[in-house]
Amino acid sequence: MKNIRRKSCYIDQVQMVDGVPLFSWIDINPTELCSRKCEFCPRRDPAEYPNQNLHMDVALAKKIADELKSFEYRGGVIFSGHGEPLLHNDIVGLVRVFGRDIHTELVTCGDQLSVELVKELFAAGLGVLLVSMYDGPHQVDKFKEMFAEAGLGSEQYVLRDRWYGVEEDYGVKLTNRAGMVSEGHQAAFDEKRPCYYTHYSLQIDWNGDVLLCVQDFNKKIKFGNLYAQSLLDIWKSGNISRYRRVLGKGRRVMYPCDRCNVNGTLHGRKHLEAWSEIYDSKRSK
């Protein structure tokens, strides 16, 4: 619930740009490297999801940030995705591109964290650091001491307990990652459940590909690429609109949504309503 409330103040405001409800949350996957192999992640099997030394170019991040600033973006950007952000070859530089003009967060397992790196990240403009702790309760004191030494306040970080076993679903709300994972007590697939991801969020891969959503580790559905297109052009494209219309009506019939068990309605209700007004208006003309 704390995670939901933290994001709601950014996600739940609907900003209209160029006649459409703008995305309010952007997930950026900065690297294809990870230092962990969690049982509930496709990376548990290197043959299925191998580590690759691939990183987002800082110049691409600047292109994204410049466009966001051009329409005074009021949402959030989070470095998370499919790898460990701190393994990016210039993660501080990547954060600095967005500066303090855009709310920026970062999710990490904490393996690479140090007092100095924490200081550098926040000096570069990071807003919130989220640490997923997999090794045990002793990590709580470790990170609290580290962050206190770095001068952080309690509102600048979130510690998430993830050290539980399969019986407790590893301390996370498990999803099947669009059909790639079956570990733990997975929710049943409901083909009539709406999903609002495409109404309010964008998932950007290290190479500029705009993907379906953070749940789709297959990365087979791509709405465009930011080296050739703008964020706004991709956001308004017919490609993403097809998914938006179908998912908003509670029809999980398109790949890979036809196998995905994620809730998909925790955020984005206001965006759904705004998009529905636009689609209804077009039908009535």
Side-chain angles (χ1 to χ4, degrees):
M1 290 304 297
K2 184 177 181 181
N3 277 337
I4 293 173
R5 289 192 297 269
R6 183 195 90 252
K7 296 168 66 174
S8 291
C9 63
Y10 298 98
I11 291 176
D12 290 345
Q13 57 175 320
V14 180
Q15 180 181 357
M16 300 296 292
V17 173
D18 205 14
V20 300
L22 190 65
F23 45 84
S24 57
W25 197 254
I26 299 176
D27 287 85
I28 293 180
N29 178 46
T31 179
E32 278 298 290
L33 293 176
C34 194
S35 55
R36 297 270 175 162
K37 294 179 182 178
C38 300
E39 288 299 317
F40 54 86
C41 175
R43 285 186 178 276
R44 73 196 187 288
D45 182 358
E48 189 171 78
Y49 204 116
N51 262 350
Q52 299 182 81
N53 192 28
L54 301 170
H55 308 278
M56 175 173 280
D57 194 293
V58 173
L60 175 59
K62 186 176 186 308
K63 179 182 184 294
I64 296 169
D66 287 347
E67 186 173 350
L68 294 178
K69 293 173 184 177
S70 73
F71 43 70
E72 299 180 346
Y73 178 62
R74 299 196 298 266
V77 170
I78 186 166
F79 292 105
S80 179
H82 305 135
E84 165 53 56
L86 296 185
L87 293 179
H88 184 275
N89 52 13
D90 185 12
I91 189 60
V92 174
L94 215 58
V95 170
R96 185 178 294 114
V97 161
F98 293 90
R100 303 190 186 283
D101 297 325
I102 298 170
H103 176 74
T104 309
E105 302 187 358
L106 186 148
V107 179
T108 176
C109 66
D111 290 349
Q112 291 75 32
L113 279 178
S114 65
V115 172
E116 287 307 311
L117 180 54
V118 171
K119 288 181 178 179
E120 289 179 25
L121 287 168
F122 280 88
L126 188 66
V128 177
L129 181 63
L130 298 97
V131 183
S132 298
M133 303 174 295
Y134 297 105
D135 297 337
H138 65 279
Q139 289 185 290
V140 174
D141 289 338
K142 169 190 172 181
F143 287 118
K144 281 187 175 181
E145 291 172 6
M146 179 187 295
F147 297 155
E149 187 176 347
L152 299 191
S154 58
E155 76 285 355
Q156 293 176 288
Y157 66 88
V158 177
L159 298 179
R160 308 194 291 188
D161 48 338
R162 300 289 190 260
W163 54 72
Y164 304 99
V166 63
E167 296 80 11
E168 295 83 21
D169 289 337
Y170 307 101
V172 302
K173 178 62 177 175
L174 291 174
T175 72
N176 65 7
R177 298 300 188 182
M180 292 187 71
V181 177
S182 59
E183 188 74 16
H185 305 100
Q186 294 280 350
F189 168 69
D190 183 357
E191 65 179 6
K192 295 183 179 180
R193 178 186 286 276
C195 182
Y196 307 152
Y197 273 107
T198 53
H199 295 78
Y200 74 87
S201 69
L202 281 178
Q203 162 79 349
I204 303 175
D205 208 4
W206 67 272
N207 62 354
D209 283 340
V210 177
L211 307 175
L212 175 62
C213 75
V214 293
Q215 300 296 331
D216 182 21
F217 269 64
N218 277 299
K219 301 186 182 182
K220 291 183 179 179
I221 303 301
K222 301 172 183 178
F223 296 131
N225 186 280
L226 293 173
Y227 278 108
Q229 299 158 276
S230 71
L231 284 166
L232 204 53
D233 284 345
I234 293 174
W235 183 243
K236 295 173 63 178
S237 70
N239 208 1
I240 192 172
S241 290
R242 282 190 288 274
Y243 277 84
R244 196 178 286 136
R245 288 171 183 262
V246 171
L247 291 171
K249 293 178 180 178
R251 298 177 60 230
R252 299 195 180 198
V253 294
M254 298 172 69
Y255 176 86
C257 310
D258 58 359
R259 62 200 66 193
C260 179
N261 67 353
V262 70
N263 183 315
T265 61
L266 297 178
H267 296 290
R269 180 73 192 183
K270 292 181 180 179
H271 286 76
L272 167 74
E273 293 170 352
W275 277 110
S276 295
E277 286 184 17
I278 290 174
Y279 294 146
D280 290 344
S281 175
K282 288 181 178 179
R283 280 196 296 270
S284 65
K285 290 181 179 179

